[in-house]
C-alpha cells in the first residue's frame, strides 16, 4: 500500500455563526485548506471526498456529502457522508487515507461540518443525545454530561484525582485557546473560576464541559506518487487506529477508561512503529474534563490512575514534555460535532509545519489526534509525522 500525506488542512473559526450555513462553512474550510497547500492545488485534482456530520437539527440528513461538496465547487467526484457521532470527521480522515493508500484516489478530501447554535438548549440536548444508547440512556433522560459525570464519579472515587484536577484541565486548555484566533471560547480562566463554576452534573461543573459550536474543517490527503507536486514538506500519516465499544455506558465493565480509545491508540502506534513516549504533542477529545484524564491513560501516556500527576507536574502544558490540546481542545476551541476530528488533524498539520503561531510547539516530529464518538462507542487515532531529512 502507498504512503499517504497531509498536504493541506484548515478550519473555520468555531463558535456561534448565525449568518452561516453548513454549505458556506464547509466551503470556507475547504478554501483555507486549499490555500495552505504550498505549491497550490486545483479543485479538479481532488478525486474523492468524505464529509463527517451528525446533521444536528435534521438539516440535510440525506446526501449531505454531495450537498456540501457540490456547493464548494467539487463536481462529479464520489462524495459521501460518514456519521460516527463526535468522531465523524476523524473517521472521514481515516476513510480518505484508506482511499489514497489503496490507490482509489491520488488526492482525497476529508472534512466535517456542523451547525449547533441555532436551536434551543432542549432541542440541542436531543440531537446530542441521539449519539448515546437510545433505549436505556437517551429515552430515560440521561444527558452526555450525566454519562461523563458517572465516569468522573467512579474515577475520582477509585483514584487520587480530585475535582480540582478536572478544573486544571480547563485552565490549561483555556490558556492555550486564548492563543488560538479560531477558538470559540478564546479566553483564559483562573483556577478559582474553574473550581467555583455552577454544577452541571455532579462532579462536573460548567468549566468542565465543552461548548456546542458551529464550524467546519477540511484536510487534503495525497499519495506518495503525487505528493511532490504539492509540497516539499509533507506530513506523513504514519499510523491510523480505530475501534468501537458498547454504546451504552451501563453495558461496560469499566467506567474508568474507554476501551475503544485504548485499542485505537495501540493500532496507530503499531502502524507508525512508535510508542507513546515518541509522541511530541497530542490533540485529545476533551468533551468533558474527565475525558482528557482518561485519554492520558488510555493512550499510554501514563499508568492507570496517574493522569492527575501529569497535570501537577506540568507535563501536558504548552511548554511541557507532552503538550496536550495546544489548540485549546474541545473545551476552549469548541466542538462542532462533525468538524472536530478533522479540526484536530488541521491543528496537528499546523504544528508539524511550524505554522501554529503563538502556540507553536518546539520542533515536533510526531503528533497524535484522538477523536471519540459519544461516550466511547467509537474512537479513532491518527499519528502524523514530520519526516526529518537524513
Amino acid at each position: 500500500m502507498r504512503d499517504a500525506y497531509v498536504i493541506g488542512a484548515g478550519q473555520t473559526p468555531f463558535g456561534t455563526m448565525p449568518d452561516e450555513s453548513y454549505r458556506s462553512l464547509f466551503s470556507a474550510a475547504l478554501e483555507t485548506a486549499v490555500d495552505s497547500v504550498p505549491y497550490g492545488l486545483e479543485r479538479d485534482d481532488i478525486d474523492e471526498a468524505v464529509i463527517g456530520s451528525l446533521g444536528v437539527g435534521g438539516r440535510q440528513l440525506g446526501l449531505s456529502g454531495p450537498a456540501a461538496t457540490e456547493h464548494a465547487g467539487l463536481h462529479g467526484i464520489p462524495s459521501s457522508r460518514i456519521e460516527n457521532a463526535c468522531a465523524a470527521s476523524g473517521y472521514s480522515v481515516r476513510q480518505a487515507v484508506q482511499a489514497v493508500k489503496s490507490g482509489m484516489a491520488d488526492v482525497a478530501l476529508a472534512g466535517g461540518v456542523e451547525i449547533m447554535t441555532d436551536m434551543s438548549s432542549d432541542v440541542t440536548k436531543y440531537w446530542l443525545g441521539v449519539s448515546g444508547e437510545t433505549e436505556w440512556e437517551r429515552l430515560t433522560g440521561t444527558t452526555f454530561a450525566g454519562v461523563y459525570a458517572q465516569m468522573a464519579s467512579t474515577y475520582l472515587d477509585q483514584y487520587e484525582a480530585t475535582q480540582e484536577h478536572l478544573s486544571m484541565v480547563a485552565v490549561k486548555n483555556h490558556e492555550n485557546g486564548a492563543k488560538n484566533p479560531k477558538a470559540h471560547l478564546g479566553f483564559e480562566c483562573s483556577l478559582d473560576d474553574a473550581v467555583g463554576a455552577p454544577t452541571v452534573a455532579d462532579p462536573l461543573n460548567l468549566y468542565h464541559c465543552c461548548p456546542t459550536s458551529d464550524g467546519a474543517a477540511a484536510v487534503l490527503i495525497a499519495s506518495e506518487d503525487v505528493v511532490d507536486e504539492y509540497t516539499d514538506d509533507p506530513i506523513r500519516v504514519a499510523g491510523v487506529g480505530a475501534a468501537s465499544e458498547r454504546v451504552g455506558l451501563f453495558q461496560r465493565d469499566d467506567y474508568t477508561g474507554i476501551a475503544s480509545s485504548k485499542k485505537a491508540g495501540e493500532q496507530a502506534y503499531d502502524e507508525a512503529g512508535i510508542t507513546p513516549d515518541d509522541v511530541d504533542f497530542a490533540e485529545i477529545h476533551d468533551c468533558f474534563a474527565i475525558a482528557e484524564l482518561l485519554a492520558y491513560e488510555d493512550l499510554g501516556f501514563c499508568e492507570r490512575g496517574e493522569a492527575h500527576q501529569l497535570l501537577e507536574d506540568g507535563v501536558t502544558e504548552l511548554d511541557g514534555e507532552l503538550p496536550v490540546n495546544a489548540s485549546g481542545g474541545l473545551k476552549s476551541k469548541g466542538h462542532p460535532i462533525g468538524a472536530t476530528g478533522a479540526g484536530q488533524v488541521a491543528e496537528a498539520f499546523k504544528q508539524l509545519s511550524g505554522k501554529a503561531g503563538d502556540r507553536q510547539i518546539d520542533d515536533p516530529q510526531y503528533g497524535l489526534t484522538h477523536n471519540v464518538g459519544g461516550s466511547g462507542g467509537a474512537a479513532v487515532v491518527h499519528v502524523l509525522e514530520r519526516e526529518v531529512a537524513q
Side-chain angles (χ1 to χ4, degrees):
M1 294 221 297
R2 305 184 299 180
D3 269 338
Y5 294 85
V6 180
I7 57 171
Q11 67 166 75
T12 67
F14 287 178
T16 302
M17 287 169 274
D19 296 329
E20 301 289 348
S21 70
Y22 75 94
R23 286 183 169 102
S24 66
L25 283 172
F26 182 75
S27 292
L30 176 58
E31 188 70 29
T32 303
V34 169
D35 287 347
S36 73
V37 178
Y39 298 163
L41 175 139
E42 300 296 328
R43 279 170 169 71
D44 289 346
D45 295 344
I46 299 172
D47 300 312
E48 183 166 341
V50 189
I51 312 303
S53 180
L54 183 64
V56 167
R59 56 177 57 79
Q60 197 58 50
L61 285 175
L63 291 175
S64 54
T69 54
E70 282 287 330
H71 182 79
L74 303 178
H75 306 305
I77 64 170
S79 178
S80 58
R81 168 202 179 211
I82 187 166
E83 185 282 301
N84 234 355
C86 314
S89 63
Y91 270 79
S92 76
V93 173
R94 177 177 182 264
Q95 286 200 195
V97 170
Q98 288 177 326
V100 166
K101 285 191 169 186
S102 70
M104 292 187 69
D106 277 326
V107 179
L109 165 65
V113 62
E114 212 75 67
I115 298 280
M116 303 182 68
T117 67
D118 62 348
M119 297 168 291
S120 70
S121 60
D122 286 343
V123 174
T124 302
K125 286 177 185 176
Y126 169 84
W127 280 100
L128 290 170
V130 300
S131 300
E133 201 282 330
T134 299
E135 290 181 285
W136 299 102
E137 289 183 351
R138 180 169 68 83
L139 293 182
T140 58
T142 302
T143 64
F144 270 116
V147 169
Y148 275 93
Q150 293 177 64
M151 299 165 79
S153 294
T154 305
Y155 186 88
L156 298 185
D157 285 345
Q158 192 163 334
Y159 300 113
E160 295 180 11
T162 66
Q163 283 180 292
E164 184 168 307
H165 291 108
L166 300 179
S167 295
M168 290 171 68
V169 172
V171 171
K172 171 181 70 68
N173 291 349
H174 272 281
E175 183 177 356
N176 294 344
K179 298 178 175 67
N180 185 351
K182 295 189 175 180
H184 186 170
L185 304 179
F187 56 84
E188 295 187 17
C189 70
S190 69
L191 186 58
D192 286 344
D193 290 336
V195 168
T199 298
V200 173
D202 190 50
L204 301 178
N205 70 32
L206 185 63
Y207 270 90
H208 302 152
C209 308
C210 73
T212 54
S213 312
D214 305 332
V219 180
L220 294 161
I221 312 289
S223 75
E224 64 181 71
D225 295 338
V226 301
V227 66
D228 291 344
E229 298 175 20
Y230 301 104
T231 180
D232 59 4
D233 189 25
I235 305 302
R236 188 171 75 96
V237 183
V240 182
S244 60
E245 165 64 301
R246 292 180 183 272
V247 174
L249 187 63
F250 72 95
Q251 298 170 306
R252 304 177 197 169
D253 296 328
D254 181 16
Y255 286 12
T256 64
I258 295 178
S260 56
S261 292
K262 187 174 187 298
K263 186 170 184 179
E266 290 171 348
Q267 290 176 356
Y269 293 139
D270 184 62
E271 185 175 318
I274 66 169
T275 71
D277 290 339
D278 295 312
V279 175
D280 296 305
F281 69 91
E283 286 290 308
I284 279 176
H285 196 96
D286 62 321
C287 49
F288 298 92
I290 185 61
E292 181 163 325
L293 292 181
L294 299 185
Y296 291 173
E297 299 172 7
D298 293 333
L299 296 171
F301 299 145
C302 64
E303 296 298 320
R304 186 66 65 193
E306 295 181 359
H308 68 285
Q309 198 64 53
L310 297 188
L311 290 168
E312 290 184 4
D313 295 344
V315 172
T316 57
E317 299 280 345
L318 195 59
D319 59 355
E321 296 174 25
L322 177 64
V324 171
N325 287 335
S327 69
L330 284 62
K331 176 63 194 76
S332 175
K333 186 172 79 166
H335 184 28
I337 285 178
T340 289
Q344 291 176 325
V345 175
E347 174 69 16
F349 174 75
K350 281 188 175 182
Q351 291 286 353
L352 291 167
S353 301
K355 298 178 180 178
D358 291 342
R359 62 188 188 279
Q360 179 63 50
I361 294 160
D362 184 35
D363 196 31
Q365 182 179 359
Y366 289 105
L368 177 145
T369 67
H370 162 254
N371 190 199
V372 174
S375 60
V380 57
V381 172
H382 291 89
V383 173
L384 304 183
E385 178 189 11
R386 176 177 58 86
E387 294 186 325
V388 179
Q390 300 296 320

